[in-house]
Amino acid sequence: MVAKTNLTAVTDQVAEIDKRVVVLETEIHIQFKDLYNRVKRIEAWAIGSATSIILLLIAILYRM
């Protein structure tokens, strides 16, 4: 009887840990999605800036 009670308690603890892991996985997924979007936005700014600088330098060289 004692072993059965311990097994039930362990099963309940495993179920609780499983719920917590699912919550953490969901939260981490949302955070990484947000991080990915921020990196993409920074990448777009960097590409736009580099393009502008290159075009400016070409315009300066063309006038020389």
Side-chain angles (χ1 to χ4, degrees), residues 19 31 41 58:
K19 290 177 188 175
Q31 288 177 354
R41 191 168 46 236
I58 289 173

Side-chain angles (χ1 to χ4, degrees), residues 14-51:
V14 169
E16 182 65 30
I17 290 172
D18 187 45
K19 290 177 188 175
R20 290 170 50 193
V21 168
V22 169
V23 169
L24 289 173
E25 285 178 343
T26 305
E27 185 177 337
I28 289 171
H29 177 73
I30 291 168
Q31 288 177 354
F32 272 108
K33 190 175 181 180
D34 184 45
L35 180 64
Y36 177 76
N37 288 334
R38 289 180 184 190
V39 168
K40 292 298 281 185
R41 191 168 46 236
I42 291 171
E43 184 182 50
W45 275 92
I47 291 172
S49 298
T51 304

